[in-house]
Amino acid sequence: MNTPRRHVAAAASALLLLGAGCANTADSSADVPALRYAAVGAPAATATDPHGRVGNESDYTRFAMLYDVLTYPDENGGIQPRLAVSWDSEDLTTWAVTLRDDAVFSDGTPVTAEDVLFSLRRIQGKGAENNGRLSMFDLDASATTGEHTLDLVTKGPYAEFASAVASLTFVVPEGSDDFTGDPVPGSGPFTDTGEGDDTTAVLTRNDAWWGSTPGVERLEILAMPDAQTRAEAVASGQADAAGSISPATASRYEEQDGFTVLRRPGAVNYPLVMDTRTEPFDDPDVRRAVKLALDRDQLVQTVFLGFGEPGTDVLSPNEPTSPDAAPVRRDLAEAERLLEESGRADGIELTLTTTNSYPGMEEAATLAAEQLGEAGIDVTVEVHPPDTYWTEVWNVEPFYLNSLGGSGFVDFARMALLSEGPINETGWTDADFDADFQEALATADDARRGELLGALQSTVADEGGYVVWGLGDGLDLIAEGVRGMPTGPGFNRIFIENATVGG
Amino acid sequence: MTALRAFLTAIARALLLLLAVSAMVFVATELLPGDAAGARASNGATVEQVAALRAETGQDRPAWQRYTAWLGSLATGRLGTSLVNDRPVADAISQRLPASTALVVLALAFAGPLILVIGCWAGAGSRTRGTRTAVVTGLAAVPQVVLAAVLSALFAGALGWLPPVSLLPPGGSPLESPHLLILPVLSVALPTVVFGAGLLAGAVADTVRRPHAVDSRLRGTPTVLFFARDVVPFLLTPLARVVAISAGGLIAAATVVETLFGYPGLGSLLVTSVSARDTPVVQAVAMAAAAVVLGGLLLADVIAVLADPRRAPRPKRRAPRYLGVQP
């Protein structure tokens, strides 16, 4: 007779637990100006270490609010000082960096050059998890030169220093290594209350922050994997802002009172990747034919529902240094002529691999295949499961869709376009390109460097293995009264400290 | 004494089954292509870097060593740490357990009586039984995602009675805002009802054919009394088994509902960990679900002994007949 009783006891204690949960949530959110931001993220994949593997947008946003970074991108893609106030170099290799002297961690200790160097080394040490974020630096040769000054040494001349230390250089107190327990003190605009969970981070304004007073006293960052659910959270008043909603949802709310759709141009890019080492893409004529056979307007209309711009194969068209390329018009006759010239008048058969990791990738591949078919390029679409796409297809298959987000041209070229780049997925090996790239990085004059980088982008657009058929807008939904959400390119989107609600 | 011995045997059997489940889940996770080190490494990482990551997290050891190490730490009450983000597995589980428990308990409380009623309806009709079970089977084929979307479109969209998403306040209890639970609970409970009723219908059909039931009907017992006195008492054990199996499924497989309503339970944790090959987390969630199923079946066995209307000693048998449905 002891058993049923034990089960009853177990059930009762389960209910008590639930009840206890009820009781201990002191309602600290009452009447405090609070912003609830539903960001892209799977709660189960929440990261606590800002320097390791970060898969969630919600985590990046939280880290940017908790920790200071050296520099950050503004609304126009320019780089602005943040924890670093100035940086200067004679030889573009040893960079004398001056930090602000009024930054303080939430435990009261000042932020010093030692903390910065420690954090940068820790980030570099976890390069395998963070895409080699600081691999251009020789941090063993780098050293602090004072309480708030340090010399950072790059492996070669690197004129784009400011963007190399932008956005993700989260500075933590020297010696911090365990991020799984109590919150590690940061010096950012907000501090972690520790009240949150994997789904919702609860932050409170850091009144000791050196910058202008953040827009809200309380910030809740919600990790939500489904785009529709994020939008509905705002629509039903359970959140104030939703990051990255789908074009279909955006067009529904665009005309509705009480909601605003923010557009972040150039945020979504699903280029077709052609491996220039592999037959038939080793023939420049074939690559050109593919680029000419696509109807880019139709792709943008279908995949992004018009929330975007047709692409010109320029990888990062929204940077200050990007070339002004003419629109690529569909020219089936020319595409067929090129195929004939390359001895493939009977057409080609290809397999284009895609996935549904990100909304629209599958549709983009299907429509592109249809359009290529009209030029005699017979394409079979293969949809690969998302969890193994980035290990089994990406950087492996000769013809697939990639998803490029946010990183600027210099960073991307370093990884993917130099002959020795670690993720050279298009097999782009061009000694001249490599030399010009190094020359650009060794050019101190901004205008001249911009010209050189622009020319490099043009070369890849004309001859390379990327078909940038269109760029979709990043679409955020905000409720009435929310102001100051970032709309700039790249990681500008994670710096939400100036957002306000109501009033 | 017989009851006690039967009970102890049942416990031992449940523990053995739990062990077998853990081994099966481990092997299944092993068989998937790739591992947690690959999932943790960024896209540009070299083979050497991934290998270093693998060694750092102890994944370079042979599978049997990792499994026995996991068993050993489980025996001392530790669930280990995630291979992907280094966090204690217990943290991730305990954060989601209240939400999942609330969902499952409420869904079963709602589904249990309905399973009984619909099961009787489907199983008792002598001539219409084929049609009735076909209706139940047909309803069971409606995918949960469709049901959830329809419920949401109806109650949150068209009628506007309920919120379309069910975000729980951070650190709060799910019972704090009961209206948030209605749509998720209905979305998981309704498929459970048809699934359970379909299974129970067989037991009902058997029961109404028993001599005492046939007699009772011939004597003209009113329908309600007939079911309450002559049928339902025989259904408690199969019902408990159906509910136990459903509970396990609801704990680990409510993913669709969790994602659609933004309701943070164990299902999405399981899916995310499987896709990241995060074995310690997969094992922990699978164990939790299996423990609920086996615990529930154990309870069903106890009910079988205590609530058998004939008060007959439990017949000896080797293999558990989980659904209690006789061919």
Side-chain angles (χ1 to χ4, degrees):
Chain A
M1 280 313 289
N2 162 8
T3 19
R5 212 173 292 154
R6 192 189 296 176
H7 280 279
V8 169
S13 46
L15 283 173
L16 274 178
L17 275 175
L18 290 169
C22 257
N24 68 18
T25 49
D27 199 2
S28 49
S29 58
D31 298 331
V32 168
L35 176 73
R36 296 158 303 166
Y37 176 43
V40 188
T46 293
T48 51
D49 188 334
H51 302 154
R53 165 96 181 156
V54 180
N56 285 344
E57 185 78 13
S58 50
D59 292 330
Y60 275 132
T61 309
R62 183 174 83 252
F63 295 145
M65 293 300 95
L66 294 178
Y67 305 105
D68 270 325
V69 296
L70 293 187
T71 63
Y72 79 110
D74 63 21
E75 293 284 302
N76 307 312
I79 302 294
Q80 299 298 330
R82 204 154 162 116
L83 192 59
V85 287
S86 69
W87 46 92
D88 194 31
S89 177
E90 294 279 304
D91 57 359
L92 301 180
T93 303
T94 300
W95 291 84
V97 180
T98 307
L99 307 172
R100 43 185 335 118
D101 55 11
D102 52 355
V104 180
F105 287 116
S106 57
D107 63 355
T109 54
V111 181
T112 65
E114 295 289 349
D115 299 314
V116 171
L117 193 56
F118 168 81
S119 301
L120 297 183
R121 283 180 175 150
R122 193 165 181 278
I123 293 169
Q124 194 182 53
K126 291 189 177 284
E129 293 178 54
N130 61 34
N131 231 334
R133 205 180 285 164
L134 293 176
S135 58
M136 68 291 271
F137 284 96
D138 182 351
L139 292 177
D140 290 332
S142 305
T144 59
T145 51
E147 180 86 8
H148 298 290
T149 54
L150 68 161
D151 282 346
L152 289 176
V153 180
T154 50
K155 287 175 180 161
Y158 204 89
E160 295 279 328
F161 171 84
S163 56
V165 294
S167 305
L168 305 178
T169 42
F170 306 110
V171 173
V172 301
E174 189 183 4
S176 309
D177 203 38
D178 181 7
F179 289 81
T180 61
D182 293 331
V184 170
S187 62
F190 287 86
T191 50
D192 195 339
T193 61
E195 290 166 27
D197 51 31
D198 285 355
T199 310
T200 312
V202 182
L203 314 186
T204 178
R205 182 159 76 195
N206 175 11
D207 288 316
W209 192 49
W210 49 265
S212 58
T213 312
V216 288
E217 233 164 86
R218 182 180 158 102
L219 174 64
E220 292 180 13
I221 302 169
L222 297 96
M224 297 174 69
D226 186 68
Q228 180 73 21
T229 311
R230 286 194 297 277
E232 279 174 349
V234 173
S236 62
Q238 297 186 63
D240 305 297
S244 300
I245 61 171
S246 72
T249 315
S251 53
R252 184 144 57 88
Y253 286 105
E254 212 181 20
E255 303 300 322
Q256 254 186 57
D257 284 346
F259 301 103
T260 307
V261 174
L262 296 180
R263 296 170 70 154
R264 289 177 281 108
V268 186
N269 185 1
Y270 304 143
L272 271 61
V273 177
M274 303 180 286
D275 187 343
T276 62
R277 289 161 295 201
T278 315
E279 209 275 314
F281 301 119
D282 53 350
D283 185 338
D285 283 343
V286 173
R287 304 202 291 268
R288 189 87 207 123
V290 170
K291 289 174 184 173
L292 288 174
L294 292 175
D295 181 343
R296 294 160 190 244
D297 291 314
Q298 193 193 17
L299 275 164
V300 170
Q301 280 307 325
T302 308
V303 178
F304 301 134
L305 300 181
F307 291 102
E309 291 288 329
T312 56
D313 300 323
V314 171
L315 280 160
S316 312
N318 293 326
E319 284 178 45
T321 63
S322 299
D324 273 328
V328 182
R329 304 236 175 272
R330 191 182 202 199
D331 192 341
L332 286 177
E334 176 66 3
E336 279 166 24
R337 193 192 64 78
L338 285 166
L339 288 180
E340 209 168 302
E341 210 169 88
S342 79
R344 294 176 173 89
D346 298 338
I348 351 178
E349 283 185 19
L350 296 170
T351 300
L352 175 63
T353 313
T354 187
T355 184
N356 35 38
S357 279
Y358 299 100
M361 282 181 86
E362 203 179 321
E363 292 84 341
T366 310
L367 182 57
E370 223 169 86
Q371 294 176 352
L372 292 172
E374 290 161 24
I377 306 172
D378 186 16
V379 179
T380 312
V381 174
E382 201 179 291
V383 183
H384 197 93
D387 52 344
T388 49
Y389 192 75
W390 307 102
T391 47
E392 288 172 10
V393 174
W394 180 84
N395 209 5
V396 177
E397 292 293 328
F399 193 35
Y400 60 89
L401 257 73
N402 197 348
S403 169
L404 302 182
S407 64
F409 176 70
V410 170
D411 230 24
F412 186 76
R414 205 168 52 82
M415 304 295 281
L417 292 168
L418 295 184
S419 306
E420 299 300 317
I423 53 171
N424 191 341
E425 54 185 339
T426 56
W428 182 250
T429 44
D430 179 346
D432 289 342
F433 184 95
D434 294 358
D436 289 351
F437 186 75
Q438 299 310 341
E439 191 196 330
L441 286 182
T443 302
D445 181 65
D446 288 345
R448 175 75 192 124
R449 188 170 71 249
E451 272 170 41
L452 289 167
L453 291 172
L456 289 170
Q457 283 224 61
S458 295
T459 310
V460 181
D462 293 340
E463 300 161 29
Y466 289 100
V467 190
V468 183
W469 51 265
L471 281 104
D473 297 340
L475 299 166
D476 302 335
L477 182 68
I478 56 171
E480 201 161 21
V482 175
R483 288 194 177 72
M485 286 295 286
T487 55
F491 279 111
N492 176 256
R493 66 181 184 271
I494 65 175
F495 295 93
I496 60 170
E497 70 270 6
N498 292 324
T500 59
V501 284
Chain B
M1 273 318 283
T2 356
L4 181 64
R5 185 190 291 167
F7 176 67
L8 289 178
T9 322
I11 288 219
R13 199 174 62 207
L15 286 177
L16 274 175
L17 278 170
L18 207 54
L19 187 68
V21 169
S22 82
M24 279 189 289
V25 172
F26 188 87
V27 169
T29 319
E30 272 311 294
L31 288 178
L32 292 172
D35 66 357
R40 180 171 179 160
S42 56
N43 293 342
T46 62
V47 177
E48 295 78 36
Q49 285 177 315
V50 178
L53 214 50
R54 192 168 288 134
E56 206 178 297
T57 45
Q59 295 171 74
D60 52 345
R61 291 174 300 164
W64 67 269
Q65 279 189 18
R66 280 179 284 128
Y67 179 67
T68 45
W70 174 82
L71 264 189
S73 67
L74 186 69
T76 58
R78 283 174 315 205
L79 292 174
T81 54
S82 157
L83 296 176
V84 174
N85 58 19
D86 295 330
R87 298 180 56 213
V89 176
D91 267 13
I93 303 269
S94 62
Q95 273 191 18
R96 290 172 175 76
L97 204 53
S100 276
T101 311
L103 185 71
V104 172
V105 168
L106 292 174
L108 292 180
F110 175 83
L114 277 179
I115 291 178
L116 202 56
V117 171
I118 298 180
C120 286
W121 173 78
S126 45
R127 256 165 291 164
T128 47
R129 201 184 138 211
T131 326
R132 291 180 182 185
T133 40
V135 169
V136 172
T137 315
L139 286 175
V142 176
Q144 197 178 45
V145 62
V146 174
L147 177 72
V150 168
L151 286 175
S152 173
L154 181 64
F155 289 105
L159 297 172
W161 291 347
L162 295 167
V165 288
S166 306
L167 300 174
L168 300 180
S173 153
L175 301 182
E176 241 171 274
S177 341
H179 66 289
L180 292 181
L181 285 167
I182 298 175
L183 282 181
V185 164
L186 282 183
S187 305
V188 296
L190 293 179
T192 309
V193 168
V194 279
F195 166 78
L199 289 178
L200 201 66
V204 173
D206 289 342
T207 310
V208 295
R209 279 201 294 266
R210 287 188 180 209
H212 80 274
V214 175
D215 278 0
S216 174
R217 252 197 188 166
L218 286 175
R219 285 197 309 272
T221 315
T223 310
V224 174
L225 182 61
F226 168 70
F227 275 106
R229 192 189 59 198
D230 300 322
V231 180
V232 171
F234 291 87
L235 297 176
L236 290 180
T237 307
L239 178 68
R241 290 185 176 134
V242 167
V243 167
I245 288 175
S246 305
L250 290 185
I251 281 193
T255 322
V256 170
V257 167
E258 289 173 15
T259 307
L260 278 181
F261 295 106
Y263 186 87
L266 288 171
S268 41
L269 181 67
L270 180 64
V271 169
T272 310
S273 333
V274 169
S275 67
R277 314 290 182 254
D278 199 346
T279 318
V281 183
V282 174
Q283 292 280 71
V285 181
M287 284 302 92
V292 167
V293 174
L294 294 172
L297 291 174
L298 202 59
L299 191 64
D301 283 353
V302 172
I303 292 175
V305 174
L306 299 179
D308 190 328
R310 292 160 296 171
R311 299 263 179 242
R314 206 157 152 273
K316 272 190 186 169
R317 57 162 194 256
R318 284 174 182 280
R321 298 192 324 262
Y322 284 130
L323 298 182
V325 180
Q326 296 280 14

